[in-house]
Amino acid sequence: MYLFLAFLLVPVIEIALFIQVGGLIGLWPTLLIVILTAVLGAKLVKAQGQMAMGQMRNSFQNLSDPAEPLAHGAMILFAGALLLTPGFFTDAVGFTLLVPKGREAIYKFLRKRINVAKFQMGSQEFHSQNSGFKPNTRPQGRDEVIDGDFEDLTPHHDPNTPSKWVDHEK
């Protein structure tokens, strides 16, 4: 239902804003503003996206909760789509998503409403607790070493004899 309302209301808002702004400053300045916000938005999305990728890499290297950097990356991606969409309302929302404080406020708002029970990176599991995600600790004294022997079962082939893949009887 919310998605339907968004698809219905956003174009109506954009059309109304185009009419109002175009009536105030004229057609060509209005179009110039739309093009400039798209170009500026693309440059800002690139810069913010690189910063978010660095934060995500750090969270993976430190084995810390990647939820916030991933959410910031998703919001930056969404901001880029909004900024490339012609319109003043979508540009305002897109630029809001590019401001780090705006993303933090949205992340905190969503974090209160979404509960992640656990996530796993490699062999390490993280469980949600009030203060964030904590890695599961293994009991002390248990080694994860598996001892075993192996035997090579591949037949040894003399490199001077012809291959079995070639028919030499012709």
Side-chain angles (χ1 to χ4, degrees), residues 120-142:
Q120 183 171 349
M121 288 189 298
S123 63
Q124 194 169 18
E125 250 183 37
F126 293 79
H127 289 275
S128 177
Q129 295 178 355
N130 292 340
S131 61
F133 284 94
K134 304 282 187 212
N136 273 359
T137 55
R138 292 191 173 126
Q140 296 295 329
R142 288 185 56 194

Side-chain angles (χ1 to χ4, degrees), residues 75-147:
M75 286 187 266
I76 291 168
L77 181 67
F78 189 58
L82 290 173
L83 288 167
L84 291 176
T85 304
F88 294 107
F89 178 71
T90 54
D91 286 348
V93 174
F95 281 121
T96 301
L97 289 174
L98 283 183
V99 176
K101 293 288 183 189
R103 285 195 312 267
E104 286 175 21
I106 292 170
Y107 177 75
K108 287 177 184 175
F109 174 80
L110 293 175
R111 182 73 185 221
K112 289 178 185 175
R113 284 154 182 76
I114 297 172
N115 183 23
V116 178
K118 75 174 187 173
F119 72 93
Q120 183 171 349
M121 288 189 298
S123 63
Q124 194 169 18
E125 250 183 37
F126 293 79
H127 289 275
S128 177
Q129 295 178 355
N130 292 340
S131 61
F133 284 94
K134 304 282 187 212
N136 273 359
T137 55
R138 292 191 173 126
Q140 296 295 329
R142 288 185 56 194
D143 290 336
E144 293 295 324
V145 176
I146 300 174
D147 190 18

Side-chain angles (χ1 to χ4, degrees), residues 5 17 23 27-28 40 50 54 59 66 81 96 99-101 115 121 128 132 138 142 151 154 160 165-168:
L5 285 174
L17 287 173
L27 173 66
W28 295 112
L40 179 64
Q50 288 173 341
S59 76
T96 301
V99 176
K101 293 288 183 189
N115 183 23
M121 288 189 298
S128 177
R138 292 191 173 126
R142 288 185 56 194
E151 180 180 339
T154 56
N160 296 326
W165 291 97
V166 179
D167 186 14
H168 294 284

Side-chain angles (χ1 to χ4, degrees), residues 25-104:
I25 64 173
L27 173 66
W28 295 112
T30 303
L31 293 177
L32 183 64
I33 290 172
V34 170
I35 292 169
L36 287 176
T37 56
V39 171
L40 179 64
K43 289 182 185 281
L44 288 172
V45 164
K46 181 179 178 184
Q48 292 287 318
Q50 288 173 341
M51 188 175 65
M53 284 297 291
Q55 291 171 347
M56 201 176 333
R57 238 181 259 114
N58 286 341
S59 76
F60 286 139
Q61 286 174 348
N62 298 333
L63 291 178
S64 62
D65 182 11
E68 189 168 358
L70 284 170
H72 282 270
M75 286 187 266
I76 291 168
L77 181 67
F78 189 58
L82 290 173
L83 288 167
L84 291 176
T85 304
F88 294 107
F89 178 71
T90 54
D91 286 348
V93 174
F95 281 121
T96 301
L97 289 174
L98 283 183
V99 176
K101 293 288 183 189
R103 285 195 312 267
E104 286 175 21

